[in-house]
Amino acid sequence: MSELDLDALIDDPTTRIVVTCGAGGVGKTTTAAALGLRAAERGRKVVVLTIDPARRLAQSLGLTELDNVPRAVAGANPKNGGRLDAMMLDMKRTFDDVVLQHATPEKAEQILANPFYQALSSSFAGTQEYMAMEKLGQLHHQAERTGDWDLIIVDTPPSRSALDFLDAPERLASLLEGRFLRLLLAPARGPFKLMSAGVNMAMSVLNKVLGAQVLTDVQTFVAAFDTLFGGFRQRAEQTVALLREPHTAFLVVAAPQNDALREASYFAERLRAEGMPLAGVVLNRVTTTQAPELSAERSLAAAEKLEEADKSPLTAAVLRLHADKMQQVVGDHKRADRFRRGHRAIRTVEVPALADDVHDLAGLRTIGELLTR
């Protein structure tokens, strides 16, 4: 078991992409923003792509409204030629940009106005994860072309499972290229001409289930979108290949709770199975105390003595609060140690829990120091 040196990671010029991932609510976005700020203030040209950050964190980065374009972070203090830009993913706008970029103006207008496309681009399960990868590909291409950034930090979307992030591109590409949607173009073309009776029967059933207008919208969408089907799979494959490159580093973020640690274990195993470079695990929000020598048992015993003697009720209450906190400290460290023993080849770093949420650049700097101390 060894410590994860995040300063070495972000200082290494060969590190071009850092992806933070893990269960929801463990501090992925804060970790990504703190590392981006620290990297910029150490000389890297950084862009941070955040997904649905907390309002206070968004404001600390100057992102007061949803913005799909990287903006300079006011208040950052980049050194040695560094810079810090940040952006929040606008899922629908990213999807629209893909359509505008890869379709003819006439086809793009048909697609963007289609009700089925509007629903797909706004709410289909997996679209956010896929569009995060589309945006990563766009940022990487721009960085290669213009040199605007030499480090891209990506905060993965909140999902039911951390594994959704890796599965979403393939899932969306499969949907858009699937037999069901292509069936909706029948019987007008291809081999479906030979079985139009069966297709017409299927269409009759779908018409009853979906309604005539919905089915028409879907058919119109598929007909207009047909030329873009292959591009989705190609870009998905390119993104997966990009994530496997040595210049990419995955950071799994986990809180010292059983569910989050199990998710971290699954993700670490999945990354290894997929051949993707895992830099290490951030054990975030670990409970600490300024008085570790006073155990929970001793604290409770002292509180009971004071209460029995009817003395210093305030001191007794403080001792009981300390006992509760020490139980959290012991529990967090036991779970963290168990995780380390089960993953001895994975480097880890612990970040203590703070009293307040991070809501400004000073707080992000503090997190950056704790991540790299």
Side-chain angles (χ1 to χ4, degrees), residues 23-266:
V26 297
K28 296 190 301 291
T29 304
T30 302
T31 299
L35 284 176
L37 178 61
R38 187 170 181 86
E41 295 186 338
R42 293 169 69 89
R44 299 296 298 271
K45 293 185 289 185
V46 186
V47 58
V48 177
L49 170 59
T50 66
I51 314 295
D52 192 25
R55 182 175 182 83
R56 287 182 179 179
L57 181 60
Q59 290 174 341
S60 74
L61 291 171
L63 302 173
T64 54
E65 60 184 21
L66 193 66
D67 199 333
N68 211 41
V69 178
R71 307 287 185 188
V73 175
N77 186 26
K79 296 186 175 77
N80 303 318
R83 63 181 290 181
L84 177 60
D85 294 338
M87 61 174 294
M88 286 188 286
L89 179 73
D90 184 333
M91 178 176 70
K92 188 178 188 311
R93 182 172 169 186
T94 300
F95 209 151
D96 291 350
D97 288 344
V98 171
V99 172
L100 290 169
Q101 182 179 356
H102 297 283
T104 64
E106 181 181 357
K107 289 287 186 183
E109 184 178 356
Q110 293 176 12
I111 294 169
L112 295 179
N114 184 273
F116 179 76
Y117 166 79
Q118 292 171 4
L120 175 71
S121 61
S122 301
S123 58
F124 177 75
T127 302
Q128 188 179 49
E129 288 89 345
Y130 182 89
M131 288 306 145
M133 291 297 91
E134 281 278 358
K135 181 56 68 174
L136 170 59
Q138 293 173 13
L139 292 173
H140 181 261
H141 178 72
Q142 182 177 344
E144 293 284 296
R145 180 170 49 85
T146 66
D148 286 344
W149 311 290
D150 57 31
L151 179 61
I152 302 169
I153 298 181
V154 182
D155 159 41
T156 57
S159 304
R160 298 186 315 279
S161 166
L163 304 182
D164 289 350
F165 174 66
L166 295 177
D167 293 333
E170 179 67 21
R171 189 165 64 244
L172 184 61
S174 296
L175 169 79
L176 295 175
E177 295 177 331
R179 291 182 179 179
F180 172 72
L181 289 186
R182 290 190 175 275
L183 179 67
L184 298 179
L185 288 174
R189 65 176 199 185
F192 290 117
K193 291 179 180 179
L194 302 178
M195 47 183 187
S196 58
V199 170
N200 287 335
M201 183 179 298
M203 290 300 169
S204 176
V205 173
L206 287 172
N207 189 53
K208 292 178 181 178
V209 173
L210 299 177
Q213 186 57 51
V214 173
L215 186 58
T216 299
D217 290 341
V218 174
Q219 288 177 307
T220 303
F221 163 76
V222 174
F225 209 78
D226 191 40
T227 57
L228 301 185
F229 281 128
F232 273 86
R233 181 170 296 279
Q234 181 182 12
R235 287 192 301 279
E237 291 171 353
Q238 290 172 346
T239 300
V240 171
L242 180 65
L243 293 175
R244 288 196 177 103
E245 291 290 330
H247 62 224
T248 298
F250 280 84
L251 287 177
V252 177
V253 183
Q257 305 302 323
N258 288 328
D259 289 347
L261 291 172
R262 277 195 295 268
E263 197 82 356
S265 296
Y266 295 150

Side-chain angles (χ1 to χ4, degrees), residues 333-346:
H333 282 85
K334 281 184 177 178
R335 289 184 287 270
D337 288 343
R338 186 164 59 244
F339 178 85
R340 288 195 188 91
R341 288 194 301 271
H343 303 83
R344 293 182 179 275
I346 298 177

